[in-house]
Amino acid sequence: MGKNNTKADKKVNSRKYGHTQMKHSRMGVYSCALAGISFGMILVSVLTAFFLRGNTPNVVGGIGLASFVTALYGLHASVKGRREREKKYRTCWIGMILNILLLLLLMFIFAGGFR
């Protein structure tokens, strides 16, 4: 009467038009990666300032500025990733939240340096 399909056969045959497997947004993944890079740069600048006892303001400021630009681009990538069709947007939201938090952290650090 009917076919005896195995579980693997059913899985292969169930992918028809409109039922494709959802993937993460590519720009959302980039956004999360850029947030990690920006956090790493902040960590490097803080450790550099600590171990060299604050004798390198130009290097630390340059790394901080590069981190700020990287976080801005990560925020832009997460917004751009939300425009991709038929994707999972969880990485976009995670990247957006992380990059906003990093930008706020950097703004507080820069504002504290003006005292």
Side-chain angles (χ1 to χ4, degrees):
M1 294 279 230
K3 294 181 185 178
N4 285 336
N5 290 338
T6 63
K7 197 172 190 177
D9 290 336
K10 287 180 184 179
K11 189 173 185 180
V12 169
N13 294 331
S14 68
R15 303 221 176 136
K16 294 182 180 178
Y17 181 75
H19 297 288
T20 59
Q21 187 176 7
M22 299 284 277
K23 295 181 179 179
H24 289 288
S25 171
R26 178 176 287 163
M27 294 304 285
V29 173
Y30 288 161
S31 174
C32 290
L34 287 170
I37 290 170
S38 179
F39 181 73
M41 282 196 257
I42 293 170
L43 193 63
V44 165
S45 66
V46 168
L47 289 175
T48 302
F50 178 72
F51 286 123
L52 296 178
R53 299 173 193 221
N55 293 329
T56 58
N58 295 336
V59 174
V60 172
I63 294 173
L65 186 61
S67 176
F68 190 80
V69 171
T70 305
L72 277 177
Y73 186 69
L75 185 61
H76 172 69
S78 66
V79 171
K80 194 173 177 183
R82 295 269 302 141
R83 294 186 203 149
E84 295 180 22
R85 298 284 180 169
E86 297 179 8
K87 301 283 184 176
K88 291 181 186 177
Y89 300 123
R90 182 172 289 157
T91 54
C92 293
W93 286 109
I94 292 171
M96 187 181 300
I97 290 168
L98 289 176
N99 283 309
I100 288 172
L101 289 174
L102 286 170
L103 286 171
L104 288 174
L105 175 71
L106 285 168
M107 284 184 202
F108 286 136
I109 290 172
F110 291 156
F114 289 121
R115 284 191 285 155

